[in-house]
Amino acid sequence: MLRRRVIPGLSYAAGQLLLVVRTATIALGNLNGTGSYGSVLDVGVGPMAGAA
């Protein structure tokens, strides 16, 4: 999921879950790298409508 671009405010289906990206701030040091550079990803998770 995180290997592609996400747009804050849109919902994304992931199996039986619904992901809502509230904010996405990715620091340049975290692009294709590891470590703590101040990136912030705020995501909500909930069930898909109709999922049992």
Side-chain angles (χ1 to χ4, degrees), residues 6-12 18-25 40-46:
V6 293
I7 300 173
L10 290 184
S11 299
Y12 296 89
L18 184 66
L19 304 177
V20 179
V21 179
R22 295 184 195 117
T23 59
T25 305
V40 176
L41 186 61
D42 183 16
V43 179
V45 179

Side-chain angles (χ1 to χ4, degrees), residues 27-48:
L28 290 177
N30 285 127
L31 294 176
N32 296 320
T34 60
S36 180
Y37 295 97
S39 294
V40 176
L41 186 61
D42 183 16
V43 179
V45 179
M48 290 285 290

